[in-house]
Amino acid sequence: FEASNMEQLVGKIVEGPLPQMPFSYSAELRWLSRDLLSRDHRRRPLAAEVVKRPLIQKEITKLLKEVQELGTEEQLHANLNASSANPLGPTSAATAPHVGGPESAAVDDDRTAELN
């Protein structure tokens, strides 16, 4: 909506013709936008009605599938990262093998004490 002042703008919004979506969009999407922009609140669909429309159901199904695939992919990466970071499996500081002489064992004991 375009107007030279606020009063004209409000008038165009309240009384002027509603903008139409281009025909490059599907008829179903154009109908949905027309219904959602209806000035008569009784003609506007409720959210529960909108999500039941086939167009929206199709998009919800696509998004859920993408989220499920992403979750599976993230879990796979997490498992691969965990196994490559520690091929022997999880260990705690108390059960980790000491590498080096007695000096390194003392350092490890100090770190274990800090953790506890």
Side-chain angles (χ1 to χ4, degrees):
F1 297 101
E2 292 183 33
S4 58
N5 61 48
M6 188 61 73
E7 185 177 341
Q8 285 181 353
L9 180 61
V10 169
K12 285 185 174 186
I13 292 171
V14 173
E15 298 170 7
L18 291 175
Q20 300 295 310
M21 286 187 72
F23 285 100
S24 58
Y25 294 99
S26 71
E28 192 172 7
L29 183 59
R30 292 193 321 267
W31 292 329
L32 175 62
S33 73
R34 181 201 63 206
D35 292 347
L36 291 171
L37 294 174
S38 176
R39 289 190 177 101
D40 182 353
H41 68 89
R42 295 170 296 206
R43 295 188 63 197
R44 275 184 246 137
L46 300 172
E49 296 167 343
V50 171
V51 298
K52 290 179 183 175
R53 293 189 182 200
L55 175 73
I56 303 302
Q57 282 292 307
K58 187 170 81 173
E59 291 303 314
I60 289 171
T61 301
K62 275 179 24 181
L63 288 171
L64 286 173
K65 184 177 178 185
E66 288 176 17
V67 167
Q68 288 170 343
E69 289 172 357
L70 179 64
T72 303
E73 195 173 311
E74 285 178 351
Q75 187 61 39
L76 176 63
H77 287 296
N79 290 343
L80 286 173
N81 288 338
S83 65
S84 66
N86 190 355
L88 299 176
T91 59
S92 69
T95 61
H98 292 288
V99 178
E103 300 84 18
S104 65
V107 171
D108 286 343
D109 288 340
D110 289 341
R111 288 186 187 146
T112 301
E114 289 173 8
L115 293 173
N116 295 329

